[in-house]
Amino acid sequence: MPASENIPAGAPCWVDLLTSDAEGAQGFYRDLFGWSGQVAAEQFGGYTNLELGGALVGGLMPKVAEMGPAPDGWSIYLATPDAEKTVAAATEHGGGVIVPAMAINELGVMAVVTDPTGAAIGMWQPGTHAGVGVLAEPGAPGWFELFTRDFTTAVDFYREVFGWDVHIVSDTPEFRYATYGKDESARAGIMDASAFLPEGVPAHWSVYFGAADTDATLARAAELGGTVLQPGEDTPYGRLGIAADLTGAVFKLIGPNKAEAPAAS
């Protein structure tokens, strides 16, 4: 994953957590990843910018009654030079609108849409808030991935709406995967999940946070009151694992495979 400077249009540039327990979530991620919180002005509803070593890694939004029954969870935002035009393009290509383009003072313009396969995806037109300051380090966002039942439609949508330079990694019934960018310059991925996505689970985006040791981070998440949903597993792309925080918000981990991990001191 490339550095966060000059994130191109269409690439993931921000993540944030909608949570029903803001205080608990801040403590959980502080102890898990070393994050600190920077509460924004009251006008932003208690939104907190999360930092790792002084660099922004994401945000946290306390859930309020007006939001309805939305589940706690992480959202991903793709960079755009013009949120209004991108929202219009999303609808023209079969998507829907959850939150229309909305200016957040001088910070930027945000919106949330759905792609034609049903996955929600945010967008951010940067102003004074440029987005994440560090990527692919332990405790920082490391990868972004869409699980969808309609691979071809999803690939076409992100190419046409967000300007993705799509590279097909594999196109077999067993493994169908595409990335925005190629090899070490890849920014995000689309997975054909039609063979394994459980019935009733919609298409969705996930964020992977970097881990120096995937297994140790999963164990620590459990100690802090979270839940391990999938133990660490070596893959060609690193050792992956899945956990949920105190209120059930799911996040994924990516770290070195066991043979590559540094020896414990």
Side-chain angles (χ1 to χ4, degrees):
M1 170 72 78
S4 60
E5 293 88 357
N6 302 316
I7 294 174
C13 65
W14 191 242
V15 296
D16 62 17
L17 173 68
L18 179 65
T19 179
S20 54
D21 182 1
E23 183 177 352
Q26 285 195 57
F28 176 86
Y29 291 102
R30 179 191 63 231
D31 294 343
L32 186 64
F33 293 133
W35 293 350
S36 58
Q38 182 187 79
V39 180
E42 185 176 340
Q43 69 194 82
F44 299 120
Y47 194 94
T48 299
N49 283 308
L50 302 167
E51 299 181 347
L52 176 66
L56 290 172
V57 289
L60 182 151
M61 181 66 186
K63 189 187 294 184
V64 296
E66 290 80 2
M67 294 177 178
D72 289 14
W74 284 94
S75 297
I76 294 168
Y77 297 79
L78 307 182
T80 176
D82 190 321
E84 286 193 1
K85 286 185 178 179
T86 307
V87 169
T91 59
E92 290 168 5
H93 288 83
V97 180
I98 298 175
V99 179
M102 177 175 63
I104 312 297
N105 286 2
E106 74 284 357
L107 298 175
V109 182
M110 65 88 67
V112 182
V113 299
T114 55
D115 69 27
T117 77
I121 184 66
M123 66 184 76
W124 181 249
Q125 176 187 328
T128 59
H129 192 303
V132 295
V134 59
L135 288 167
E137 299 290 339
W143 187 243
F144 312 87
E145 189 172 72
L146 170 65
F147 277 9
T148 178
R149 293 183 176 85
D150 190 341
F151 178 78
T152 300
T153 296
V155 166
D156 289 345
F157 177 84
Y158 289 95
R159 178 191 287 120
E160 297 298 326
V161 175
F162 288 98
W164 278 29
D165 174 23
V166 174
H167 289 263
I168 303 299
V169 176
S170 178
D171 193 12
T172 69
E174 295 76 25
F175 182 54
R176 189 166 283 115
Y177 201 88
T179 58
Y180 171 24
K182 188 177 182 182
D183 300 332
E184 294 301 315
S185 296
R187 297 275 178 170
I190 297 175
M191 169 80 82
D192 179 2
S194 56
F196 59 83
L197 202 58
E199 185 176 351
V201 176
H204 61 275
W205 279 88
S206 298
V207 57
Y208 291 76
F209 294 110
D213 184 321
T214 299
D215 295 332
T217 306
L218 288 169
R220 182 59 176 153
E223 290 174 0
L224 294 170
T227 305
V228 175
L229 302 178
Q230 180 176 303
E233 178 181 4
D234 283 354
T235 77
Y237 309 101
R239 190 163 178 83
L240 310 181
I242 307 176
D245 67 17
L246 300 172
T247 65
V250 176
F251 59 95
K252 299 181 179 181
L253 298 169
I254 183 168
N257 284 327
K258 277 199 166 182
E260 303 165 345
S265 58

